[in-house]
Amino acid sequence: MKRRHPLKFRFHRRKTLAQPGYLPLSALHTGEKGIVTGIAGGRGMLERMTSLGFVPGTEVVVLQNFRRGPIIVRAHDARIALGRGVAFRIQMRPSEA
């Protein structure tokens, strides 16, 4: 019997994240806020991102995004540096506040 990942129902495994009203974390500018809606990736990436606090509903503030190099964000009162490839796989919804 194949064992399912416990968080599989909250995340999706798709190559593209293009949906109306949603954008990847790498597309947010410095100072912008967003809310995590999903993560595209395998089991290892899902486990790593959940351990860092990137779960659906988490508000993320972009502290530094120079369009190359790592992206520095604040989530759960912690500063986290993410590579551009990882940031592209985190699906966000822009925050209204």
Side-chain angles (χ1 to χ4, degrees):
M1 179 181 212
K2 189 173 180 180
R3 198 172 143 183
R4 293 184 64 189
H5 191 269
L7 296 174
K8 187 136 185 149
F9 68 94
R10 290 190 144 181
F11 297 101
H12 46 82
R13 208 174 158 184
R14 290 186 282 174
K15 297 244 179 199
T16 179
L17 293 174
Q19 290 182 4
Y22 297 96
L23 61 154
L25 175 59
S26 59
L28 294 178
H29 299 286
T30 302
E32 287 186 320
K33 295 180 182 180
I35 298 173
V36 177
T37 58
I39 297 175
R43 180 177 288 177
M45 183 168 169
L46 292 178
E47 289 176 359
R48 181 169 183 267
M49 291 296 102
T50 54
S51 68
L52 288 174
F54 288 93
V55 294
T58 301
E59 186 176 55
V60 175
V61 180
V62 178
L63 300 177
Q64 178 179 319
N65 185 0
F66 294 138
R67 299 292 179 212
R68 64 175 195 243
I71 296 173
I72 300 175
V73 298
R74 179 174 302 283
H76 297 290
D77 295 328
R79 289 172 48 117
I80 302 168
L82 298 172
R84 210 145 278 281
V86 172
F88 182 76
R89 293 178 164 267
I90 299 175
Q91 187 176 8
M92 305 290 291
R93 176 174 45 90
S95 181
E96 291 81 25

